[in-house]
Amino acid sequence: MTGRPAGGLVTLGETMGLVAADGIGPLEYARGFSFGIGGAESNVAVGVARLDGRATWIGRVGADATGDLVARRLAAEGVDTVAVRDPGFTGLMVRHRRSGGALHVDYHRAGSAGSRLAPADVPDAVVAAAGVLHVTGITPALSDSARDAVRHAVRVARAAGVPVSVDVNHRAKLWDRATAAPVLRELVEQADIVFAGPAEARLVLGGAGQPAGQPAAELARALAALGPAEAVVKDGANGCTAVIDGDRHDLPAVAVTVVDPVGAGDAFVAGYLTARLAGASPAERLRTAIAVGAYAVTVPGDCEGLPRRAELDAFLSTPDDDVAR
């Protein structure tokens, strides 16, 4: 760790290598690839760090070149990194765009180093000194030990009075709805802040018992009724709806040309939590979240397009300008 002051964002989860095919079409015909890193929790940490916030990421990486890349890249972004070295391999995800609107992501992570995250890997003192602990519904899906690590971190945070942020982030390729729902609901019930898409909110609230057309405001209020003081429903091009301390907030999306939608939700969360840590009002937190999410989708990659503070300020001032002079 770099010894930066405590009090910022602390998060934990798996960060993988990301193999992305260039162009559009079947993977078998791709001739060019880029290699980077990606992971919901580390995306949020990078987003916070780029906006001049303090961020710490906790996870396991393999004793391999990809693990080295993860540790170096996060450190280069200014993220304090607690990277436990594991004899296993660092997970990979392979992404290609089959057609203009069809993005496919395959995971190669079963038995990976990141999936072996355990409670002993979580430094209690780091969590207890955080300004906010952020976890997602992805890590509990990886293994029993990873699920226990998340639960342990949440217990430590709550005992220390640290706010807990949960992004539901349901991944159907990792676990089925019936298995995921009670675990995700348990996390939400212990959270101070919750983020969910409409379908994720319905899953947490009871799955088939929630009508598909239920308004976002109703979903946000129902999530808040489970315990979180701040419930935010992220709805892509429709913007977001939140219930924060009992008050409803609705913000439209910012119109941008979408190049890569992957990581938009993580960018949104990073913007919101950065503003919250800075003491911003609920309206300003959501405005920042919408802007960071919009900015991120204009660039390929999981975290490459996340804005720095000066870029975000310029975007908020003149979001419609396409030439910087």
Side-chain angles (χ1 to χ4, degrees), residues 101-127:
L103 193 66
H104 293 267
V105 182
D106 296 321
Y107 298 106
H108 301 270
R109 68 200 310 180
S112 67
S115 72
R116 292 205 283 262
L117 185 70
D121 300 329
V122 180
D124 291 4
V126 172
V127 174

Side-chain angles (χ1 to χ4, degrees), residues 254-280:
V254 175
V256 294
T257 299
V258 177
V259 173
D260 186 349
V262 175
D266 303 330
F268 181 101
V269 171
Y272 184 94
L273 293 179
T274 300
R276 189 186 193 278
L277 285 165

Side-chain angles (χ1 to χ4, degrees), residues 137-230:
I138 297 173
T139 306
L142 300 179
S143 67
D144 290 343
S145 68
R147 191 176 307 173
D148 290 342
V150 171
R151 286 171 169 158
H152 174 77
V154 170
R155 284 196 298 270
V156 172
R158 289 179 64 82
V162 173
V164 175
S165 164
V166 172
D167 190 346
V168 173
N169 241 335
H170 176 241
R171 293 290 184 267
K173 288 188 176 182
L174 295 178
W175 52 355
D176 61 77
R177 294 172 61 85
T179 304
V183 178
L184 297 173
R185 185 179 177 102
E186 174 194 333
L187 277 178
V188 171
E189 289 173 341
Q190 297 180 73
D192 299 280
I193 311 155
V194 61
F195 303 93
E200 293 170 336
R202 290 193 295 271
L203 175 63
V204 169
L205 295 169
Q210 299 295 319
Q214 191 171 8
E218 290 184 14
L219 293 172
R221 289 204 180 278
L223 287 172
L226 295 179
E230 304 169 37

